[in-house]
Amino acid sequence: MSFKEEFKREMRNIKNDAAKEVDKYWAIDFQGHKIEIHNKMLEETVKVDGRIVASNTRQSIWSHLMPYSTLSGTFQTEDGKHHKVFVKIGGLVRLNIVVKVDGRVIFKEAITLEFLPWSNKEFIVPYLEQQIKEHHKIINTDLPDDAYLVDENHPKLAPGLSDQLVSEGVTPFFTKKLLKLFMEQVENPTTQTRKATYEKIKEEKVISYFHELLELFVLEEIDEQRVQQEAIWLLEHAAHREVVKFAIIILGCTDCESMKERVKILALHEEFTGVALFALKNGTSNSNDSIWQIAKSVSGWGKIEAINFLEPNTEEIRLWILTEGTKNNVMNHYSSLICAEKGKLDIMLHESEISKELFIGAGEIILGLLGEVTHQAIDEYEYSGQVLMRYTYHAKTHCSGLEHFYILTRIAKYMSEDEETWNERYATNWKPHERQAVKEAILEIAKDPIWIQQTSSILHSGNKKDTHALAIAQYYKLDITELLFEKLKNDPNNLDYHMAIIATKDRKAIEALVTFMDRFESFEKLTEDEHFIIISLLEALGEYEGTGLHFIEKCLRSDDSSFQYFALNTLEKQDKRNWDRPDFIDVIQKIANKSKEKENRQLAKNLLS
């Protein structure tokens, strides 16, 4: 987020808050007639019996530098007499209003404008508690402060995701200053001390100073009852989510057994699951059962947080972790490593027989550990050799569908790494006999012709859900290139088909794919998949001297800086004699001189040197 965007959003929020604060309405009776005055940020109106008799419209908020407005109009009573109504309204710190009819004051009031950060807004905690009261669950994940966070430059994120994107670290002394303000609030709970704390909390994401706050809080000499009183005040008056999180954390630093049920309710909204589980674990007794129930009730980032807090102290919990722990609606397999460790996957698989349920759960965990690109997670797992050996052993009994055999092909790919990599694995979490057992088990299962038969059937069926079949075809080195191009005719943006063709490493297939890309007349208004397809092909072309030059040139001439970057990288990998000609030199020179991206300019200059 750029400073400009952040400033723009902050100014928008300040303007909206001010508009709500000055929005006031009065209704006055005069001889049976209703006089209404409505004051808004950019407009004041006077009505008599529903008819506008006077109004004033401001062109901008800066017109309030002239703080008072006067409005006058006339109305007629039933006796036929005309009356003149006069209203003077305005003020910078206090909103003063004087209403006269025929020169006589009939109403006068002065209202202090406090501009409190929680005023004129819906409080978050009562909003969530009402949902639970009515529906026994969270049915709407929107929060009342969404309007302050979401705009054209800041899309709405899945609840809890924003905290995953923040690393710890705030400006020096921020946390110490915040805690000082809160302790001043505890000692002297007034509107002003509460406002000071509240405003300070709003400045930063709580997750960015969470651990520092805990370290500093334990050093404070506190009156726990008074601390809880002010934490609860913040909780109940919070119209901003970070204030809710701060209040929950403070409660969790105390004995908050009396707040246990309330905190459990807040944990059901996944924006607050993490801090609520901290409070339950740190501030209440026998919390693990509560954490488990919450883990089974949430399905996104909250479930991922719950897995981190859950203690696997019973076999029932361990089995649940192994069979259900990696499933969520935001990023499946994200918790694979911690599920393997907490569920004691190595021990569970060492049984001579296991249930189908456990086999399926273990497969999902292994998929997550293998990852889509690298094997970093599984190489960090202490028992990876034992687990893969025992999983492939049980696969001889339980492998009954392509979805299971697909996992074996992923394991086989992992096993095919070079000997240098394996020497590193032997030094940490593998033994040679485990490696040999895994390879032999997969080869034994792979001998069954049913896998090729089922793969061929799916690929020729027109079923678009054929990702696993494509991977299995690659495992058996089946020649399906012609079939893939036929499929692309009907589904040209299918990323799996493009990647499968690239994976063949066949020059003729790559050349045909480059020709297929001529379907793009321009590189404007591309989908996310189309964007990735183009970049993937550019990367692949680096291995094929002189192939796809017209496609590379088109990418260089596009306005997309990422296309330019990967095209330049591709040329860097090739012999300059392949592209050393005027049309290429011209476009590379333009990038070197005019690209907004420093890295692109440098790459272009390197190519020209």
Side-chain angles (χ1 to χ4, degrees):
M1 182 191 310
S2 70
F3 173 79
K4 183 179 179 180
E5 289 175 355
E6 180 63 26
F7 179 75
K8 181 180 178 182
R9 183 171 66 171
E10 189 62 27
M11 290 304 296
R12 179 201 67 186
N13 291 340
I14 290 172
K15 179 180 175 181
N16 290 341
D17 284 350
K20 291 176 181 178
E21 181 66 21
V22 302
D23 192 324
K24 306 295 181 185
Y25 170 83
W26 297 268
I28 307 157
D29 178 77
F30 176 76
Q31 297 180 8
H33 294 269
K34 185 178 181 181
I35 301 175
E36 299 171 272
I37 300 99
H38 197 171
N39 182 78
K40 296 182 179 181
M41 177 68 80
L42 298 177
E43 183 182 22
E44 298 93 16
T45 59
V46 180
K47 291 182 180 179
V48 178
D49 297 333
R51 182 176 67 87
I52 296 176
V53 298
S55 66
N56 176 50
T57 301
R58 301 174 184 268
Q59 295 302 311
S60 78
I61 61 173
W62 303 114
S63 61
H64 284 273
L65 293 175
M66 299 290 290
Y68 283 92
S69 292
T70 57
L71 302 95
S72 61
T74 60
F75 65 96
Q76 187 177 10
T77 53
E78 293 178 355
D79 59 7
K81 185 176 180 181
H82 286 82
H83 299 274
K84 183 176 182 180
V85 59
F86 173 87
V87 177
K88 183 178 181 181
I89 186 169
L92 291 173
V93 179
R94 293 167 64 86
L95 187 62
N96 298 279
I97 179 171
V98 178
V99 182
K100 297 180 181 179
V101 175
D102 299 332
R104 182 172 64 87
V105 175
I106 64 167
F107 181 81
K108 187 176 183 180
E109 187 178 53
I111 302 172
T112 301
L113 298 176
E114 295 186 284
F115 296 101
L116 299 173
W118 58 81
S119 63
N120 303 304
K121 301 179 182 71
E122 185 172 7
F123 298 147
I124 291 175
V125 171
Y127 165 82
L128 295 176
E129 290 176 332
Q130 186 63 30
Q131 281 196 52
I132 297 296
K133 181 179 179 181
E134 293 179 4
H135 308 284
H136 307 292
K137 61 180 181 180
I138 300 294
I139 61 169
N140 183 5
T141 61
D142 293 345
L143 289 173
D145 67 340
D146 279 346
Y148 286 83
L149 301 173
V150 179
D151 58 27
E152 66 276 9
N153 296 311
H154 309 85
K156 184 175 172 59
L157 301 176
L161 174 57
S162 62
D163 282 351
Q164 302 292 327
L165 303 176
V166 176
S167 58
E168 284 195 64
V170 289
T171 54
F173 308 112
F174 172 86
T175 312
K176 187 175 291 187
K177 173 65 175 176
L178 171 58
L179 188 55
K180 180 182 178 182
L181 290 172
F182 177 67
M183 296 312 298
E184 288 173 356
Q185 173 187 333
V186 170
E187 291 299 316
N188 182 28
T190 66
T191 297
Q192 291 308 309
T193 58
R194 287 166 171 169
K195 179 182 179 182
T197 304
Y198 194 114
E199 291 284 12
K200 193 68 177 175
I201 296 170
K202 282 175 56 187
E203 290 180 13
E204 297 283 357
K205 298 280 291 181
V206 172
I207 192 65
S208 64
Y209 58 85
F210 170 73
H211 289 102
E212 185 183 4
L213 177 64
L214 299 185
E215 292 170 2
L216 292 175
F217 189 82
V218 297
L219 302 177
E220 295 286 337
E221 294 183 8
I222 65 168
D223 180 327
E224 190 163 286
Q225 184 177 356
R226 295 174 73 177
V227 166
Q228 284 194 357
Q229 173 186 309
E230 289 311 299
I232 293 170
W233 187 93
L234 286 171
L235 194 69
E236 294 178 341
H237 291 80
H240 299 80
R241 65 192 65 187
E242 296 305 315
V243 180
V244 175
K245 294 173 188 177
F246 178 86
I248 293 173
I249 290 171
I250 293 298
L251 286 172
C253 292
T254 68
D255 179 355
C256 57
E257 192 71 35
S258 63
M259 291 286 293
K260 189 172 187 175
E261 293 305 312
R262 202 170 189 186
V263 173
K264 284 165 63 177
I265 287 174
L266 297 179
L268 295 177
H269 192 290
E270 304 199 43
E271 185 66 30
F272 307 113
T273 305
V275 289
L277 294 182
F278 161 77
L280 289 172
K281 191 161 189 172
N282 201 60
T284 71
S285 60
N286 303 316
S287 62
N288 205 54
D289 285 344
S290 297
I291 293 171
W292 188 28
Q293 293 305 314
I294 291 163
K296 293 187 289 185
S297 301
V298 290
S299 57
W301 290 104
K303 183 174 182 179
I304 291 169
E305 290 281 12
I307 296 293
N308 291 330
F309 281 94
L310 185 60
E311 292 295 334
N313 53 14
T314 68
E315 186 172 343
E316 184 182 11
I317 292 177
R318 287 193 293 273
L319 184 60
W320 180 85
I321 288 174
L322 293 176
T323 57
E324 299 293 330
T326 65
K327 301 175 185 176
N328 59 70
N329 60 20
V330 290
M331 194 174 286
N332 272 331
H333 304 135
Y334 187 90
S335 300
S336 291
L337 182 57
I338 195 169
C339 284
E341 293 172 340
K342 285 195 170 186
K344 299 188 183 301
L345 182 59
D346 56 312
I347 295 175
M348 299 290 273
L349 290 182
H350 260 286
E351 297 293 331
S352 58
E353 295 181 0
I354 63 172
S355 67
K356 185 77 168 183
E357 180 187 26
L358 177 56
F359 176 75
I360 292 171
E364 291 300 312
I365 290 174
I366 289 168
L367 267 184
L369 291 174
L370 289 170
E372 289 300 318
V373 181
T374 67
H375 308 307
Q376 183 178 359
I378 197 165
D379 284 333
E380 292 174 355
Y381 180 38
E382 183 179 2
Y383 305 109
S384 55
Q386 294 180 44
V387 162
L388 291 189
M389 181 179 70
R390 296 302 299 170
Y391 176 79
T392 51
Y393 166 81
H394 291 297
K396 297 174 186 178
T397 302
H398 292 294
C399 184
S400 58
L402 282 188
E403 68 275 17
H404 305 145
F405 188 71
Y406 165 73
I407 298 173
L408 296 181
T409 66
R410 294 294 307 279
I411 295 173
K413 186 176 180 181
Y414 168 76
M415 303 300 292
S416 67
E417 295 283 350
D418 58 54
E419 289 304 312
E420 183 179 350
T421 299
W422 274 102
N423 287 332
E424 293 175 3
R425 289 172 181 166
Y426 290 147
T428 53
N429 50 14
W430 275 86
K431 294 180 175 62
H433 78 273
E434 293 169 342
R435 179 188 181 190
Q436 187 63 28
V438 171
K439 292 169 69 174
E440 290 176 356
I442 294 174
L443 286 172
E444 180 181 340
I445 296 169
K447 288 177 182 177
D448 192 331
I450 192 173
W451 309 121
I452 293 179
Q453 293 167 8
Q454 290 183 4
T455 296
S456 180
S457 176
I458 289 177
L459 292 177
H460 285 88
S461 69
N463 187 342
K464 292 185 178 181
K465 296 181 179 179
D466 51 12
T467 304
H468 291 174
L470 290 170
I472 293 169
Q474 187 177 343
Y475 168 78
Y476 281 110
K477 296 181 171 59
L478 302 180
D479 185 3
I480 58 169
T481 306
E482 185 176 339
L483 176 60
L484 289 170
F485 277 105
E486 284 297 317
K487 285 176 168 290
L488 277 180
K489 290 178 182 178
N490 299 318
D491 192 6
N493 291 330
N494 189 304
L495 186 58
D496 289 331
Y497 300 156
H498 281 267
M499 298 308 294
I501 292 171
I502 290 172
T504 65
K505 295 187 180 298
D506 180 86
R507 179 183 288 272
K508 289 184 178 180
I510 300 297
E511 289 173 348
L513 188 57
V514 170
T515 301
F516 184 76
M517 299 298 277
D518 288 339
R519 65 194 174 91
F520 291 108
E521 293 182 5
S522 71
F523 290 150
E524 296 179 2
K525 298 180 180 178
L526 297 174
T527 66
E528 187 175 339
D529 277 353
E530 288 171 336
H531 199 270
F532 189 80
I533 284 167
I534 291 169
I535 288 176
S536 298
L537 182 54
L538 280 172
E539 286 189 296
L541 287 174
E543 300 179 24
Y544 302 93
E545 289 284 352
T547 299
L549 290 177
H550 73 282
F551 174 71
I552 296 171
E553 182 183 356
K554 186 176 179 180
C555 291
L556 289 172
R557 294 189 183 279
S558 74
D559 293 328
D560 191 305
S561 61
S562 62
F563 291 169
Q564 292 178 355
Y565 173 80
F566 284 101
L568 292 167
N569 266 294
T570 297
L571 292 181
E572 194 173 44
K573 295 174 184 176
Q574 295 200 10
D575 191 321
K576 189 173 182 179
R577 288 174 294 183
N578 291 319
W579 53 266
D580 191 4
R581 60 194 198 205
D583 50 348
F584 267 92
I585 300 299
D586 176 63
V587 68
I588 295 171
Q589 189 69 62
K590 287 180 180 178
I591 294 172
N593 295 335
K594 298 180 179 180
S595 175
K596 295 179 181 179
E597 302 297 329
K598 181 179 179 181
E599 198 165 4
N600 287 6
R601 294 197 304 271
Q602 188 59 52
L603 279 170
K605 290 175 182 176
N606 291 344
L607 287 172
L608 295 172
S609 61

